[in-house]
Amino acid sequence: MNTNTFQGRTLAVIRDFSQEERLYLFSHTRRLKQALLEGDRKTVDEYRIDDGDFGIYEVFLEDSTRTKESFKNAAQFHGVKLNSLDVGHSSINKKESYADTFNTLCGYDNKIFIVRSTLEGVCRWLEENGKEFARRNGLSVPPAFINAGDGKHEHPTQELLDEFSFLEQLDWDESRLHIALVGDLYHGRTVHSKVDGLRLFGSVSVDLIAPKELAMPEYYVRKMEENDFAIRTFPSIEEYLSQANTAPIWYFTRPQLERMGDDILKRQDELRSKIVFRRDFLSKIADGTKFYHPLPRHKEHPTIPTFLDDTELNGWENQSINGKLIRIVLLSLIAGKIGDDFVPKSKRAFASVDDEPFLQEVPVAQDGPPKQYAEGVNPISDGIVIDHICRGDSEQEIREHMARIIGVLKLYGKGGEWVTSSRIAPGTMKGIIFRPGFSGFDGKQMKQLAAIAPGSTLNIIHESRVVKKLRLHMPPRIYNFDTISCSNTACISHPSNGESVPAEFFRVAGDIFVCKYCEKPHTFKEIWK
């Protein structure tokens, strides 16, 4: 039985590796780096997979130089069978499925796939599909997938080398981090990975420096707040330097203004000026400060100009060197070459997210006259009434959502819909759907109703009286319905991408759900087709 917890693991997002696992990875990277500096060949060789039959495949569906070559050199260090998919002539560009392509390559004895794509959530989907392929074909270890950047979602291996570089500067003290994130925080997947990645440090202060057009998306800011990060925002480097409490670590990203339309491009000089470091700022930088950048810099408009290369601020070159080392150790771990001695101090809980009940039976009052629902002047003798729909929303919002409920659950036919004021809270509006003669819902439909009408009450009516009442609560997970879809067109699960990936959402807070693959947040109303 395999006891190496790293072997065959997928790294789709940074939190796929726990903080404890990352610190273990960093300890080995530190050891390897020292051995290379000292020419300690024996220690260096402990990390080599050294198996010409062990297959690693680079599949870069989006242009890359730095990440691709870093992984290529890391794989060559290991002495493995390294292949690279010719994207220009691959079946993927012929509209054939990702699943079939990677299953085929897996069948050729390839164990690890390094994937970059403009589609978000690809590695999570391939991980699921690969496990099923391994099960069907008797493979003892499923294929592993490493996300080398997916759209503007995440770049977890960049986050690993960034964290390692920060720890080096902090003399391996993970108790506290104060960092400034500068540049395109809207598109930058390297900074998005830091929302979860920087939880590695005990106390985190983050200064976000970007004009509003390039600001960190609100969802990520909210996640940082939930992670107890102390957050400050500044519209420019100049304004940031006008106050005294600046970070000892600055992390710059390249502005991707070309992705934002003509109106932004017309203002590109103005926007760039807010996030490009100027020579006259040097006198305001505290001693010991280091600048980092995922590289490469823009050759015409670098946010870190080349006049800084030969200064003490230059942390980005050592950061880049760390990239190959981190990826060598990561491949060694996932291949099972090292990691047998790792024993976590605490086990992670894997409780089912479906354990939380979404239906609650409410006692039907037995005293007094039975409660009746009427459609017009006539009481409903048999059927259902869905009450308290979208309680507290505007009348227009309630009507729109009732139409959505009817369409999704196909509640067509006899009956009607009302928007009325709550008797308990006059002035608070709610929706009611009446369906005389409706026989009821099966189990799957009940969960669907709870997901699309949380907070409402389902009344079952027989012989003109309510015989059963069910309060509907938001399910923790919404899946297995062909009526839901991620709204992110860059997501692997979006119908426009033709991959037939079933949509799935997890509740993270209140009525907010995130897509399982791209992690885009949605309200419960937004996920229904």
Side-chain angles (χ1 to χ4, degrees), residues 110-167:
N110 293 292
K111 304 293 196 306
I112 299 176
F113 295 89
I114 302 155
V115 184
R116 171 172 283 198
S117 174
T118 55
L119 288 181
E120 299 174 14
V122 170
C123 284
R124 182 64 72 224
W125 164 240
L126 292 175
E127 176 193 26
E128 291 183 357
N129 180 76
K131 286 179 178 177
E132 288 302 304
F133 178 85
R135 179 190 59 77
R136 290 193 301 268
N137 292 279
L139 304 182
S140 58
V141 178
F145 298 89
I146 298 174
N147 179 7
D150 59 338
K152 62 175 187 285
H153 179 214
E154 277 215 25
H155 196 336
T157 64
Q158 179 69 46
E159 178 60 19
L160 288 174
L161 74 93
D162 291 346
E163 291 171 19
F164 180 81
S165 301
F166 301 158
L167 283 168

Side-chain angles (χ1 to χ4, degrees), residues 20-209:
E20 193 177 357
E21 289 170 336
R22 279 181 273 153
L23 288 172
Y24 177 84
L25 186 155
F26 297 151
S27 70
H28 274 283
T29 306
R30 186 180 179 186
R31 180 172 180 259
L32 174 62
K33 188 172 186 178
Q34 188 62 34
L36 287 166
L37 289 171
E38 296 174 354
D40 180 356
R41 181 65 177 267
K42 181 179 178 182
T43 298
V44 170
D45 286 346
E46 291 177 18
Y47 292 90
R48 297 187 195 274
I49 299 170
D50 197 21
D51 180 354
D53 293 325
F54 189 97
I56 295 180
Y57 234 104
E58 284 195 316
V59 185
F60 278 66
L61 305 170
E62 180 184 34
D63 290 340
S64 169
T65 300
R66 174 184 47 83
T67 303
K68 183 176 182 179
E69 291 303 313
S70 176
F71 267 114
K72 180 179 178 180
N73 280 269
Q76 288 171 339
F77 166 92
H78 283 295
V80 297
K81 179 183 70 174
L82 174 65
N83 287 294
S84 180
L85 188 67
D86 183 354
V87 176
H89 299 90
S90 75
S91 60
I92 288 175
N93 280 347
K94 300 172 188 174
K95 304 300 181 184
E96 296 181 16
S97 90
Y98 280 70
D100 284 350
T101 298
F102 282 91
N103 285 349
T104 300
L105 297 175
C106 179
Y108 299 159
D109 205 26
N110 293 292
K111 304 293 196 306
I112 299 176
F113 295 89
I114 302 155
V115 184
R116 171 172 283 198
S117 174
T118 55
L119 288 181
E120 299 174 14
V122 170
C123 284
R124 182 64 72 224
W125 164 240
L126 292 175
E127 176 193 26
E128 291 183 357
N129 180 76
K131 286 179 178 177
E132 288 302 304
F133 178 85
R135 179 190 59 77
R136 290 193 301 268
N137 292 279
L139 304 182
S140 58
V141 178
F145 298 89
I146 298 174
N147 179 7
D150 59 338
K152 62 175 187 285
H153 179 214
E154 277 215 25
H155 196 336
T157 64
Q158 179 69 46
E159 178 60 19
L160 288 174
L161 74 93
D162 291 346
E163 291 171 19
F164 180 81
S165 301
F166 301 158
L167 283 168
E168 278 190 314
Q169 181 181 340
L170 297 170
D171 198 24
W172 311 105
D173 177 9
E174 72 261 22
S175 65
R176 184 178 184 277
L177 176 72
H178 182 192
I179 186 171
L181 303 180
V182 190
D184 189 346
L185 309 185
Y186 182 79
H187 295 104
R189 54 194 170 200
T190 61
V191 292
H192 297 167
S193 296
K194 285 170 176 49
V195 173
D196 283 321
L198 295 184
R199 295 177 65 187
L200 180 81
F201 298 89
S203 171
V204 180
S205 299
V206 180
D207 300 330
L208 303 174
I209 304 172

Side-chain angles (χ1 to χ4, degrees), residues 169 247-252 285-286 288-292 311-316:
Q169 181 181 340
I249 292 175
W250 291 39
Y251 190 91
F252 289 79
I285 299 297
T289 299
K290 287 289 184 188
F291 288 176
Y292 296 92
T311 70
E312 292 297 317
L313 293 170
N314 185 344
W316 57 89

Side-chain angles (χ1 to χ4, degrees), residues 390-395 397-398 401 428-430 524-525:
C390 295
R391 186 174 179 272
D393 285 359
S394 71
E395 183 173 344
E397 290 172 328
I398 294 170
H401 195 60
T428 300
M429 306 305 289
K430 66 173 183 175
F524 79 94
K525 296 178 182 177

